Amino acid sequence: MASDTAISLKVERKPKLSETVVASIRKQLQAGEIQPGQKLPTEGQLTETFGVSRTVIREALAKLAADGLVEPRQGAGVFVTEHISTMFGTLAADMGIKDSIALNVLEVRLAIEIESAGLAAIRRNAAQEAAIQEAFFEFERLLLNSEPTGPADLAFHRAIASATNNPFYVEMLDVLGRRAIPCDVTSPWSTELAQSDAYQRGLQGEHLVILNAIMTGDAESAREAMRAHLTASQQRYRERLHARQNFYADSVKAAATE
């Protein structure tokens, strides 16, 4: 007999095209590739550059304007805000807070996932092994298609936790939820403005070492591979937090002298 109990389904939202455009322009502004006061390309030029419709470009420009990063001038075009350094100083502070959260999350993950990798190498069954591989190759597929890899990243780590056959390892990851993958650009906890394929490729290389150790049943190597992966992530976020703190401090100083 069919159950009347409602099933709750989780749907991962893909970033809108306009969000991709916004992230790309933000990145260029932050890198200084587009200077304060400089005029942006026309709508037509941006349409060709990003391969999207004018509607998408207009939505992206409206978002940038709402954030105070650009300003439209009647009959002249869209220009970068003159006080862009202050705007990005505030953004850097916000991203720095997320970096701090990411470091706390990684500390917890180190305590959980090193042992889960070792147990998965010993206890996995054929179906669980296949699930780990499936998540790994889904990450690869998304990366090759330049799509957000965060959900597949989380699925990879969750599949390893499941392969311990101890439900509490899975439960702990589920408590962290989408915070577990700080570089997931589709997550509200993301520390990134745009996904870096080079960065993701490095993560995938670390995942491969973990995968190989689990597949060969080498528990100690699996633990060491997971430790190396999460420790390297910690170091990356420490460096990023330090850089963003310096950027924010410099922006505040610049604003004070204007």
Side-chain angles (χ1 to χ4, degrees):
M1 181 176 178
S3 173
D4 293 331
T5 303
I7 299 174
S8 177
L9 298 177
K10 295 181 179 179
V11 179
E12 295 291 345
R13 184 185 72 84
K14 291 185 177 180
K16 296 169 62 177
L17 290 174
S18 61
E19 292 173 351
T20 302
V21 175
V22 168
S24 178
I25 295 177
R26 277 181 182 272
K27 189 174 181 180
Q28 292 179 67
L29 290 170
Q30 191 171 18
E33 296 171 11
I34 307 175
Q35 294 295 315
Q38 187 174 347
K39 180 181 177 180
L40 292 184
T42 65
E43 281 186 8
Q45 291 170 327
L46 289 172
T47 296
E48 291 183 10
T49 298
F50 290 101
V52 297
S53 68
R54 284 180 180 266
T55 299
V56 170
I57 293 300
R58 288 169 186 162
E59 186 177 343
L61 292 176
K63 171 60 177 172
L64 290 167
D67 290 344
L69 301 178
V70 302
E71 54 182 358
R73 298 178 189 171
Q74 187 65 36
V78 179
F79 292 79
V80 178
T81 303
E82 293 288 351
H83 302 296
I84 195 73
S85 61
T86 304
M87 299 293 181
F88 273 116
T90 302
L91 178 62
D94 177 63
M95 299 304 279
I97 291 171
K98 291 181 177 179
D99 283 332
S100 295
I101 293 173
L103 284 168
N104 287 335
V105 168
L106 285 165
E107 188 173 274
V108 173
R109 288 182 61 193
L110 273 163
I112 299 167
E113 294 196 68
I114 292 173
E115 185 59 20
S116 74
L119 293 175
I122 299 169
R123 298 177 178 175
R124 75 200 185 285
N125 58 38
Q128 291 165 338
E129 183 173 306
I132 297 170
Q133 291 178 320
E134 182 180 351
F136 176 86
F137 288 116
E138 175 62 8
F139 187 111
E140 185 72 17
R141 184 190 69 80
L142 292 170
L143 187 57
L144 289 174
N145 292 334
S146 297
E147 296 179 48
T149 58
D153 195 339
L154 180 57
F156 177 76
H157 286 275
R158 195 178 187 281
I160 292 172
S162 181
T164 66
N165 291 302
N166 180 336
F168 291 106
Y169 280 104
V170 178
E171 186 175 318
M172 291 300 293
L173 271 185
D174 286 347
V175 167
L176 293 175
R178 297 178 72 188
R179 288 174 296 182
I181 311 297
C183 60
D184 178 7
V185 294
T186 70
S187 167
W189 301 96
S190 179
T191 59
E192 311 302 312
L193 295 174
Q195 178 168 288
S196 166
D197 285 348
Y199 183 87
Q200 295 297 317
R201 178 56 63 190
L203 293 181
Q204 184 70 328
E206 294 169 8
H207 288 165
L208 180 59
V209 179
I210 297 169
L211 175 65
N212 286 338
I214 291 175
M215 294 305 99
T216 57
D218 188 338
E220 195 53 40
S221 291
R223 291 187 182 97
E224 286 307 311
M226 184 66 79
R227 184 193 307 277
H229 173 50
L230 297 178
T231 300
S233 292
Q234 275 188 321
Q235 184 58 32
R236 286 188 285 263
Y237 283 108
R238 286 194 186 99
E239 291 172 356
R240 193 169 305 178
L241 177 60
H242 181 69
R244 282 173 172 158
Q245 287 173 334
N246 287 342
F247 186 91
Y248 178 64
D250 290 343
S251 296
V252 171
K253 289 178 182 178
T257 59
E258 289 176 352

